[in-house]
Amino acid sequence: MHAYRSHTCAALTAANVGETVRLSGWVHRVRDHGGLLFIDLRDHYGITQVMADPDSPVFAELEKVRSEWCIKIEGNVLARDESLINKAIPTGEVEVFIRDIEVLGQSEELPLMVFGDQEYPEETRLKYRYLDLRREAMQTNMKLRSDVVTSMRKRMWEKDFREYQTPIITASSPEGARDFLVPSRQHPGKFYALPQAPQQFKQLMMVAGFDKYFQIAPCFRDEDPRADRSPTDFYQLDLEMSFVEQQDVFDTIQPVLQGVFEEFGGGRKVDDVWPQISYKDAALWYGTDKPDLRNPIKMQVVSDHFRGSGFAIFASLLENEGTEIRAIPAPKGGSRKFCDRMNKFAQGEGLPGMGYIFWRKQSADSIAQERGITVKEVNAMVKSGEITLGNEAAGPLAKNIGPERTEAIRQQLGLDVGDAAFFLGGKPKAFEAVAGRARTAIGDELGLTDLNRFAFAWIVDFPIYEADEETGKIDFEHNPFSMPQGGMDALLGDPLKVLGYQYDLACNGYELVSGAIRNHRPEIMFKAFEIAGYGKDEVEKRFGGMVNAFQYGAPPHGGCAAGVDRIVMLLADEANIREVVMFPMNQRAEDLMMNAPSDPTSDQLMELGLRVIPQDQ
């Protein structure tokens, strides 16, 4: 018999009754039932109930055992009484009567309990992550992560991709975020960088003739943390292909990711049609370039209905160039109570409120006022069939713009009695983000969002350039290394109309994939940077390795990268990415368990030729 175990804690069944077995694991829970001691023994695979009575030779020793002690037991497998069978676990038909026990590792008093569903502060969980990871939910998440990565690799190999590794210590990257710099001992005063992504190396592989590359790649970026982003490092499914167009990349990655979501999505519906939505339309319809299509609400421009209207705020706003009014339809939101709640939401976003209209069944009172007759007369006319009660628009905004305009708005938005619409105005870039969050809140509040679904959309046609509102200076708005649609000819026209072959994949409100068809032509690349104010010398200095390589017969190529951590977060139905990362940093980019970052020693600084300048507190 093996020194530590003959079976795992998930392996024993009724077929093992009568056998002598050896198990090792952690004490999950101890229960004293009047002279009978029961222990739920846990390992990575599951739980087995082990027990002893005063006749056991190790009963006295067993009484000393506490939660999370690591122990080894040997004993006989017994069948449980039928009334005591636990159908919730694979080993629920049996228990092990302990004949021998060895304590492999005692535990001090626990800073957090592994058994149960108690909530603990994140700082405590991260400081004692090795205990936090013993919890069932965390074990499940980490196994899911491993299985997802394995599935991704398998699916990429099946598509004739090969996995190649790229350097971890390299030069500073053009990705756009802050680098983590690494001082060089052999070259005093110079620094390496941890790669923000394998971007340049994977493009150089295409120049080198490797047709299809992929890697589960670690990436390092010194970023401000968010719930769906690590402040230091993350992993991505990185891929690149030669001799491809944009659609080829889509056709390659969709079955990989769709298959992963179908395999690990827990039965939730996975959309198999992934629409392609322009960046411009995504901003208009959803207020974001990572829309959640589970929510059916689409915003629309309704400016024409407010021009010259009695609602002075919007009417005067529209006199300014570049402004517009957008409506957020709210099916089934047609009550003053709901509209008041959404006004409160808008105030929480820093706005004075949102204009709204809601439609209700026309009242006899409103018809009476309109026609100058009594309510009694109206009711009689309704009863006789002379008139019918239609619908009417309600709310302060409706009163200001009148029935003709409100009816035109209702028809444009496809709304009916019991529905509502909310309105925001100004320059779109100033209010789009708030409008997007309002759309999400409305969808959630009204139960319109299908939570049992993964909905994907490709966001395409990103603008390459933007102009500073104050100075008019042209700069890059999105990836400067994307091939402009139309090539060199496009760059000779209005830069603000130049779109790139750049694309993102959104799922349920998160960006999962980002990629592009690359600009592999040096003359087009130099021109693209020239428009944004970067001379040829600067481009060669900053990106010389890639630019030089492109002068030796670079093939057309493109690819993308899918965020592994974020994909697993969605599959695990977690709202925080740290729940699916084994050893994450906290929100201040600190490792509380390993005490990083830490102060260097004097010897380390001297060896590297560095001096730390104290910061003002």
Side-chain angles (χ1 to χ4, degrees):
M1 192 181 292
H2 189 273
Y4 291 109
R5 58 188 180 190
S6 59
H7 299 77
T8 70
C9 290
L12 297 178
T13 67
N16 299 107
V17 170
E19 295 179 13
T20 298
V21 298
R22 189 173 289 164
L23 304 176
S24 291
W26 288 267
V27 174
H28 192 60
R29 185 168 58 146
V30 180
R31 305 188 305 281
D32 186 342
H33 287 192
L36 284 176
L37 277 178
F38 291 91
I39 291 176
D40 290 336
L41 189 64
R42 183 194 75 245
D43 65 8
H44 176 67
Y45 304 97
I47 288 178
T48 296
Q49 179 173 286
V50 300
M51 50 86 65
D53 59 22
D55 293 334
S56 171
V58 293
F59 186 80
E61 194 173 347
L62 200 63
E63 286 184 304
K64 302 173 186 175
V65 169
R66 296 292 179 266
S67 290
E68 295 309 307
W69 284 29
C70 187
I71 64 173
K72 175 182 76 175
I73 66 100
E74 189 172 315
N76 305 115
V77 181
L78 306 176
R80 293 199 202 186
D81 289 338
E82 191 170 339
S83 61
L84 300 176
I85 289 175
N86 183 355
K87 295 181 179 179
I89 57 175
T91 59
E93 293 182 292
V94 298
E95 59 191 4
V96 178
F97 184 81
I98 303 173
R99 298 289 183 188
D100 192 19
I101 181 173
E102 179 183 347
V103 175
L104 303 174
Q106 292 189 17
S107 172
E108 300 290 334
E109 185 175 346
L110 295 167
L112 59 84
M113 294 299 295
V114 174
F115 171 74
D117 296 320
Q118 298 95 323
E119 292 292 328
Y120 293 94
E122 188 175 69
E123 301 292 288
T124 301
R125 294 181 59 200
L126 295 183
K127 183 176 181 179
Y128 300 99
R129 188 62 163 183
Y130 40 84
L131 292 178
D132 189 47
L133 287 169
R134 292 182 186 178
R135 300 163 80 172
E136 183 180 5
M138 296 305 295
Q139 292 267 318
T140 299
N141 282 356
M142 297 310 149
K143 286 186 282 188
L144 172 64
R145 182 190 178 100
S146 178
D147 292 345
V148 166
V149 169
T150 299
S151 180
M152 285 178 172
R153 278 199 166 99
K154 179 174 175 287
R155 294 172 190 277
M156 292 304 293
W157 277 98
E158 288 173 351
K159 288 190 164 291
D160 297 326
F161 281 75
R162 281 191 169 86
E163 185 167 12
Y164 301 100
Q165 284 68 47
T166 51
I168 295 298
I169 297 290
T170 181
S172 189
S173 166
E175 291 297 307
R178 295 185 188 90
D179 287 317
F180 282 105
L181 296 178
V182 180
S184 169
R185 176 184 60 81
Q186 294 179 322
H187 304 279
K190 293 188 176 182
F191 293 80
Y192 302 102
L194 301 180
Q196 294 188 32
Q199 184 64 50
Q200 293 190 71
F201 289 107
K202 70 177 182 178
Q203 290 191 243
L204 291 170
M205 281 187 219
M206 300 301 105
V207 178
F210 292 88
D211 196 65
K212 292 182 177 180
Y213 142 91
F214 90 96
Q215 181 184 187
I216 305 297
C219 304
F220 305 88
R221 298 183 187 180
D222 186 0
E223 296 188 298
D224 295 329
R226 297 191 312 228
D228 66 336
R229 183 174 69 191
S230 166
T232 54
D233 56 288
F234 59 93
Y235 280 80
Q236 63 188 32
L237 168 60
D238 199 55
L239 65 94
E240 197 77 6
M241 310 158 65
S242 287
F243 307 109
V244 292
E245 296 180 308
Q246 181 170 281
Q247 190 61 45
D248 297 314
V249 179
F250 295 173
D251 292 344
T252 297
I253 194 66
Q254 176 170 346
V256 173
L257 295 185
Q258 186 177 328
V260 166
F261 274 83
E262 287 171 347
E263 184 177 356
F264 300 104
R268 285 169 281 183
K269 183 181 184 299
V270 180
D271 287 3
D272 55 7
V273 175
W274 297 8
Q276 296 179 25
I277 303 169
S278 73
Y279 175 80
K280 181 180 178 182
D281 284 342
L284 165 60
W285 295 339
Y286 310 112
T288 176
D289 59 359
K290 40 185 180 288
D292 186 349
L293 298 191
R294 298 176 302 167
N295 178 350
I297 293 174
K298 259 189 185 181
M299 296 186 282
Q300 295 188 40
V301 177
V302 291
S303 304
D304 289 346
H305 303 301
F306 289 95
R307 294 187 200 280
S309 72
F311 190 59
I313 295 175
F314 282 176
S316 60
L317 193 68
L318 290 169
E319 294 174 3
N320 300 316
E321 188 179 352
T323 59
E324 61 185 37
I325 312 300
R326 292 185 186 174
I328 312 171
K332 308 306 177 190
S335 73
R336 195 173 299 277
K337 200 177 211 181
F338 177 73
C339 292
D340 288 343
R341 283 206 306 275
M342 289 312 302
N343 249 340
K344 191 173 181 182
F345 165 85
Q347 289 161 4
E349 293 285 331
L351 300 176
M354 284 193 294
Y356 65 83
I357 300 171
F358 64 94
W359 286 269
R360 62 191 178 191
K361 195 172 179 70
Q362 201 171 25
S363 68
D365 186 61
S366 64
I367 294 178
Q369 289 182 23
E370 183 185 319
R371 298 198 176 194
I373 57 179
T374 66
V375 172
K376 187 175 181 181
E377 289 173 310
V378 172
N379 287 331
M381 294 167 75
V382 170
K383 191 172 182 181
S384 68
E386 186 177 341
I387 62 172
T388 57
L389 297 178
N391 65 62
E392 64 178 1
L397 199 152
K399 291 177 182 176
N400 278 282
I401 67 174
E404 285 187 11
R405 292 176 185 261
T406 55
E407 177 60 16
I409 290 171
R410 185 189 70 78
Q411 289 191 22
Q412 179 184 332
L413 300 180
L415 298 176
D416 210 333
V417 171
D419 299 337
F422 296 87
F423 303 88
L424 289 167
K427 291 191 174 180
K429 280 205 171 183
F431 69 79
E432 272 174 353
V434 174
R437 291 193 290 274
R439 170 186 172 271
T440 297
I442 290 168
D444 291 346
E445 280 255 353
L446 297 177
L448 302 174
T449 303
D450 182 358
L451 300 179
N452 197 36
R453 173 184 168 208
F454 293 110
F456 298 85
W458 286 109
I459 309 303
V460 298
D461 299 339
F462 282 80
I464 291 182
Y465 300 103
E466 65 180 347
D468 185 280
E469 284 194 6
E470 294 182 5
T471 65
K473 183 183 180 299
I474 300 294
D475 206 346
F476 291 112
E477 182 173 2
H478 292 103
N479 191 334
F481 294 96
S482 303
M483 178 64 81
Q485 296 181 21
M488 182 66 84
D489 290 345
L491 299 180
L492 300 177
D494 181 354
L496 298 182
K497 293 182 179 178
V498 178
L499 304 177
Y501 284 114
Q502 183 181 345
Y503 36 84
D504 288 351
L505 179 67
C507 177
N508 293 10
Y510 293 94
E511 177 195 312
L512 293 192
V513 173
S514 188
I517 298 300
R518 318 303 176 184
N519 188 346
H520 70 287
R521 302 282 294 274
E523 68 276 15
I524 300 179
M525 185 180 295
F526 286 133
K527 182 63 178 177
F529 275 89
E530 178 190 311
I531 291 170
Y534 300 92
K536 184 175 180 180
D537 290 345
E538 187 173 358
V539 175
E540 288 178 333
K541 180 181 177 182
R542 293 178 65 181
F543 317 118
M546 195 161 62
V547 172
N548 289 340
F550 286 173
Q551 299 180 54
Y552 295 95
H557 59 282
C560 63
V564 171
D565 313 88
R566 208 168 281 174
I567 288 170
V568 178
M569 185 183 83
L570 280 179
L571 291 169
D573 202 21
E574 296 285 1
N576 192 316
I577 208 162
R578 289 184 286 280
E579 298 298 318
V580 297
V581 176
M582 190 76 81
F583 296 108
M585 301 282 184
N586 68 6
Q587 292 206 27
R588 294 186 299 276
E590 298 169 319
D591 184 339
L592 302 179
M593 186 177 62
M594 304 298 285
N595 293 318
S598 59
D599 294 323
T601 65
S602 298
D603 288 345
Q604 286 173 321
L605 290 175
M606 190 174 297
E607 190 174 41
L608 294 168
L610 298 176
R611 180 167 63 91
V612 176
I613 300 174
Q615 300 293 307
D616 294 334
Q617 298 296 320

